[in-house]
Amino acid sequence: MDFDKEEELLKAYGKHLRILRHKNDFSQEGLALASGVAISSISRIERGQLNPTLTTLIKIQRALGIDQREIIDF
């Protein structure tokens, strides 16, 4: 995908994360508890308002029980 603006990229990633979360039967609260990432951060990432760090992505990926590539392959 080609994104002209960082905002477009973050919104697209947020949609991807929301899909992964639902696919793995997590609520935002459940994912926050399982990953150790604040629920407000999960929410902001999904809305495209927060650019997550690599550390945050790894925590979320491990909590979802998915392959490392899947967390960023959108």
Side-chain angles (χ1 to χ4, degrees):
M1 291 186 165
D2 186 27
F3 299 98
D4 294 329
K5 299 178 183 177
E6 183 177 346
E7 180 181 326
E8 292 173 4
L9 175 63
L10 293 177
K11 287 185 182 221
Y13 183 75
K15 182 178 179 180
H16 171 70
L17 179 58
R18 187 177 308 111
I19 290 167
L20 289 174
R21 180 173 58 78
H22 285 285
K23 181 179 168 184
N24 289 280
D25 295 321
F26 275 97
S27 63
Q28 284 186 347
E29 182 178 12
L31 182 56
L33 290 171
S35 66
V37 174
I39 190 171
S40 60
S41 294
I42 302 283
S43 176
R44 290 179 62 213
I45 293 167
E46 288 188 0
R47 288 181 283 144
Q49 297 176 340
L50 179 66
N51 190 349
T53 65
L54 178 59
T55 303
T56 298
L57 290 177
I58 291 170
K59 287 178 179 181
I60 292 171
Q61 171 258 320
R62 288 179 178 166
L64 290 172
I66 59 175
D67 183 81
Q68 291 175 351
R69 292 181 199 155
E70 194 173 356
I71 195 75
I72 59 169
D73 187 20
F74 65 103

